[in-house]
Amino acid sequence: MGITTHVLDTAEGLPAAGLGVTLERLDEGQWHTLATRATDDDGRVRDLLPAGATAEPGTYRLTFATGPYLTARTGRAFYPEVQVIGQFGKVFYLWRE
């Protein structure tokens, strides 16, 4: 299982293309950067984990570089960055016929 993200610019009603995103994992009390990417024209990052890697159970942090993105578009930004932290456990898939 990988980790992806999709960002929408709700002020413009469009995908947030070119927004910087950093993925980190918490290990023994320290954050370790796994990837730094930018959203594509559709506002997505489809490959946050390195090629061939899978998301192991743990605590992850996504940091969205909203400051540079908004400043480039409007000349100002209230939030320099936005962070989302989540804990992922073992994933189970249920198939029903």
Side-chain angles (χ1 to χ4, degrees):
M1 179 179 90
I3 298 176
T4 66
T5 190
H6 187 197
V7 184
L8 301 174
D9 183 333
T10 56
E12 298 295 324
L14 298 169
L19 183 118
V21 180
T22 300
L23 173 67
E24 298 167 284
R25 186 173 193 274
L26 186 63
D27 187 27
E28 296 184 14
Q30 298 291 319
W31 289 104
H32 299 278
T33 300
L34 300 178
T36 299
R37 307 272 193 270
T39 56
D40 62 16
D41 289 342
D42 194 33
R44 297 176 189 272
V45 178
R46 293 173 168 87
D47 62 346
L48 274 167
L49 289 177
T54 58
E56 299 295 326
T59 302
Y60 292 84
R61 175 169 67 186
L62 283 172
T63 301
F64 299 91
T66 52
Y69 173 84
L70 292 169
T71 300
R73 283 152 184 80
T74 67
R76 64 185 193 284
F78 185 73
Y79 295 108
E81 64 183 21
V82 173
Q83 294 184 334
V84 177
I85 299 172
Q87 293 181 325
F88 300 99
K90 187 173 181 178
V91 176
F92 294 93
Y93 295 93
L94 178 62
W95 178 263
R96 291 187 178 181
E97 293 186 33

